[in-house]
Amino acid sequence: MTAVVTVATAAPYDVTVGRGLLTAAVDSLPDGAVRVLVVHSAPLRDRADELRALIEASGRTPVLAEVPDAEEGKTAEVAAFCWQVLGRSDFTRSDVVMGMGGGAVTDLAGFVAATWLRGVAVVQLPTTVLAMVDAAVGGKTGINTTEGKNLVGSFHEPAVVWCDTDVLHTLPSHDRVAGLAEVVKGGFIRDTGILDIVESETAALTAPELDEHAMTVLEELIARKIQVKADVVAADLKESHLREILNYGHTFGHAIEYTERYQWRHGAAVSVGMVFAAELARLAGRLDDDAVDRHRDILTGLGLPVTYQGNRWDALLTAMRRDKKTRGDMLRFVVLQGIGNPVRLEGPDPALLAGAYDAIAR
Ligand SMILES: NC(=O)c1ccc[n+]([C@@H]2O[C@H](COP(=O)([O-])OP(=O)(O)OC[C@H]3O[C@@H](n4cnc5c(N)ncnc54)[C@H](O)[C@@H]3O)[C@@H](O)[C@H]2O)c1
């Protein structure tokens, strides 16, 4: 199956989900692109070499920048290394950056492209479920500083995104499942059909190896979650109103990530965060028991965590207050007024917050 989702922002772009897309990715490079920088980390080296050969065969000059893996690559030093590579290869405004990897690499590649000559085109080739359904789509790019994650960045939308699912066979199943947390989020906030599929296909989605059936299911889910993000982003690029719904489960999830010094996978933290938000909504009289149970059933079915240590409330509250999504001192949550209907909850009663924490504490 090949699915194409168009993100209809001011400069619309396509996100293609399918197999064997490397050649198409190179064929779609603009004629004016003479040099192509491929940013990747070591685990994707073989594939980056394949891409290099295709770029060369297209008559262009490939330049490969192998960067440290995962969060190690999202630093100012690594961005500076990429700028140096660009400078030394006389990279011009009409040349193109390609980001091939998980969300860390696509965030870095996007940031490098956003800043080089005040912005050159970036083509994203995400290789994890999370990067396909979230990081590579929507235009947020960035790096970390010692003070925190994603504190420096820019909005820079990709020219095009290629989600080649062939790469997902090598992705460890725990990374696949962590990415599925973001897919499930898309089901809770908008496309409830996603939840039905995850419920009926849990076994296929969590199997150690992806067989043909599982891959087809995964591709459909990836495309549907991208559609959710595309709809929201097209309506609201810079996160003033609608885009906020994409933060479902993230206020508490980010607090867990911070408290755990980023040793938790993002999807695992968001999983607990969604259950926290569901409990908060229940206590606020917005969500019924069945809907909260459905959160737990779906997420535990995938093997994602739904509880957190019971003695960390002060640290979590402090972390939530310093989250960059907080405005002033007012804590803001996205909660559901029924499944598929996200609403904003601002400055909830501290007793409700403590109650929601009690409900997820172990
Ligand atoms: N820009 C955004 O809107 C946005 C949204 C969500 C997350 N993010 C960012 O994304 C990052 C997390 O992304 P992630 O979960 O993809 O993690 P990641 O990029 O750290 O990748 C996880 C690991 O999987 C490896 N890997 C990648 N593809 C593989 C494949 N096909 N086979 C085998 N191994 C593979 C990577 O090399 C890495 O070791 C974070 O930095 C987060 O801040 C950004």
Side-chain angles (χ1 to χ4, degrees):
M1 162 205 120
T2 299
V4 182
V5 177
T6 300
V7 186
T9 48
Y13 57 95
D14 285 347
V15 184
T16 302
V17 182
R19 302 179 198 179
L21 298 177
L22 272 195
T23 305
V26 173
D27 287 349
S28 74
L29 288 169
D31 289 342
V34 175
R35 297 162 202 83
V36 182
L37 176 77
V38 179
V39 182
H40 71 93
S41 62
L44 272 299
R45 188 180 295 153
D46 289 350
R47 205 161 164 80
D49 278 337
E50 267 182 69
L51 187 58
R52 179 216 303 263
L54 289 168
I55 293 167
E56 219 154 40
S58 77
R60 299 179 173 85
T61 306
V63 183
L64 264 59
E66 184 167 305
V67 297
D69 195 36
E71 296 303 310
E72 299 287 303
K74 275 179 66 171
T75 66
E77 291 73 23
V78 177
F81 159 72
C82 294
W83 293 322
Q84 187 180 54
V85 173
L86 290 171
R88 290 185 177 170
S89 45
D90 300 322
F91 214 78
T92 70
R93 220 176 276 283
S94 55
D95 295 329
V96 173
V97 173
M98 292 180 117
M100 174 184 268
V105 164
T106 58
D107 272 11
L108 171 73
F111 180 69
V112 167
T115 44
W116 184 253
L117 301 178
R118 300 195 185 84
V120 298
V122 62
V123 171
Q124 298 288 22
L125 301 153
T127 62
T128 63
V129 174
L130 184 82
M132 291 181 186
V133 304
D134 199 0
V137 179
K140 282 196 197 176
T141 75
I143 55 173
N144 308 323
T145 75
T146 40
E147 283 68 41
K149 245 173 83 75
N150 299 324
L151 289 178
V152 175
S154 170
F155 278 97
H156 187 62
E157 290 180 85
V160 56
V161 182
W162 299 95
C163 302
D164 189 334
T165 55
D166 282 339
V167 296
L168 297 180
H169 289 291
T170 57
L171 186 69
S173 56
H174 48 252
D175 279 311
R176 186 200 318 152
V177 164
L180 283 171
E182 283 290 342
V183 173
V184 167
K185 183 195 79 182
F188 280 125
I189 62 171
R190 200 171 178 103
D191 177 2
T192 58
I194 287 176
L195 302 178
D196 301 332
I197 297 173
V198 173
E199 282 167 329
S200 60
E201 298 288 355
T202 307
L205 291 168
T206 54
E209 302 289 330
L210 286 169
D211 62 16
E212 179 56 32
H213 171 72
M215 186 58 97
T216 307
V217 173
L218 188 56
E219 285 169 341
E220 171 165 5
L221 288 172
I222 289 171
R224 287 176 79 141
K225 168 59 187 18
I226 292 169
Q227 186 69 58
V228 169
K229 186 154 188 186
D231 291 346
V232 172
V233 165
D236 179 4
L237 178 63
K238 293 208 174 164
E239 196 157 359
S240 32
H241 298 294
L242 185 60
R243 191 159 179 159
E244 221 175 310
I245 71 171
L246 297 172
N247 293 330
Y248 185 54
H250 280 57
T251 309
F252 194 74
H254 281 155
I256 292 179
E257 288 185 286
Y258 181 76
T259 308
E260 294 291 332
R261 297 174 196 278
Y262 300 99
Q263 298 308 302
W264 272 47
R265 283 191 173 72
H266 178 68
V270 168
S271 173
V272 181
M274 287 192 282
V275 180
F276 177 89
E279 289 289 359
L280 187 59
R282 168 167 36 200
L283 291 170
R286 293 164 184 254
L287 203 58
D288 63 24
D289 294 352
D290 286 351
V292 181
D293 291 347
R294 198 171 182 200
H295 279 69
R296 283 204 173 82
D297 291 347
I298 290 175
L299 295 165
T300 48
L302 290 173
L304 287 161
V306 293
T307 61
Y308 191 65
Q309 293 176 58
N311 55 354
R312 308 298 293 274
W313 184 230
D314 288 347
L316 291 164
L317 206 49
T318 305
M320 285 195 281
R321 292 219 168 91
R322 69 177 286 288
D323 192 284
K324 66 183 186 305
K325 304 281 175 350
T326 301
R327 314 252 162 119
D329 278 341
M330 176 100 82
L331 286 180
R332 294 146 68 95
F333 293 86
V334 177
V335 296
L336 302 182
Q337 179 100 38
I339 286 179
N341 184 28
V343 293
R344 188 190 302 161
L345 184 66
E346 285 189 337
D349 184 333
L352 293 190
L353 290 172
Y357 179 59
D358 277 348
I360 60 105
R362 63 174 136 77

